[in-house]
Each structure stands twice: as C-alpha cells, then as structure tokens.
Amino acid sequence: MKGRRLIIAAVLAAACVPAWAVEGNADAAKDKISMCVGCHGIPGYRTAFPVVYHVPKLGGQHPAYIVQALQAYQRGDRDHPSMQAIAASLSEQDMADLAAYYGGAK
C-alpha cells in the first residue's frame, strides 16, 4: 500500500511539471532578439497598432512569465496581432531562450 502511494505521488508530481520546462539558453537568444528589440528595447515605447498600447519592459521579467505569455499569444488567448504573429513563429526552445535572455537582463 505504501509503495502504491509513492508511485501515485511520483506520477502526480511528474504531471505537474510545466509545459515551459524546456531549458533556455540566454546566449542562443542573442540571435533571436531582433524581433523583440524594435518595441521592447525602447524605454517607454507605445505602439499604435491595433490601439495605443504601452509596450512592457521585458528585461528582468521572470522567465516562466515570458514563456507563458508567448504561449498565450501563440494559442490566441492573448489578443495582439503583432505578438500573435511573432509567437506563431517561435518554437518552445525559442521561447525558453528568449525568456532566459530577458529574465537575466535588467
């Protein structure tokens, strides 16, 4: 009975590993950030498409938050045409790399 509980606990713990658990490489992201810096690299930048929108600073954000946000854009759960198009082009590894880069940036 005790062994069975241990197995069930191990299975449940493994099921709780987030989908964004891909290991990010900040150095690899340096070749991928060109699509980000045009908006997210300008302090206080506001975009006018599709509406006036304050572009958030990415440097220093928690990597898991960045990955989750990109996944939400990719799924269409977050509504911003430019970000949806960018996220659609990213692999899980790309997202993890970008998150590692911006998570360590200030």
Side-chain angles (χ1 to χ4, degrees), residues 69-88:
L70 288 169
Q71 289 171 337
Y73 283 119
Q74 195 174 58
R75 287 190 309 268
D77 294 342
R78 282 192 174 199
D79 187 28
H80 192 280
S82 298
M83 284 302 305
Q84 286 175 335
I86 290 168

Side-chain angles (χ1 to χ4, degrees), residues 28-94:
K30 291 177 183 174
D31 293 333
K32 302 172 186 179
I33 62 169
S34 63
M35 65 188 135
C36 308
V37 296
C39 296
H40 295 282
I42 303 169
Y45 181 68
R46 293 178 185 268
T47 182
F49 180 80
V51 295
V52 176
Y53 176 79
H54 175 75
V55 177
K57 177 184 172 196
L58 294 181
Q61 288 282 3
H62 193 280
Y65 171 79
I66 294 172
V67 170
Q68 289 174 344
L70 288 169
Q71 289 171 337
Y73 283 119
Q74 195 174 58
R75 287 190 309 268
D77 294 342
R78 282 192 174 199
D79 187 28
H80 192 280
S82 298
M83 284 302 305
Q84 286 175 335
I86 290 168
S89 72
L90 299 174
S91 69
E92 291 297 315
Q93 187 65 59
D94 292 336

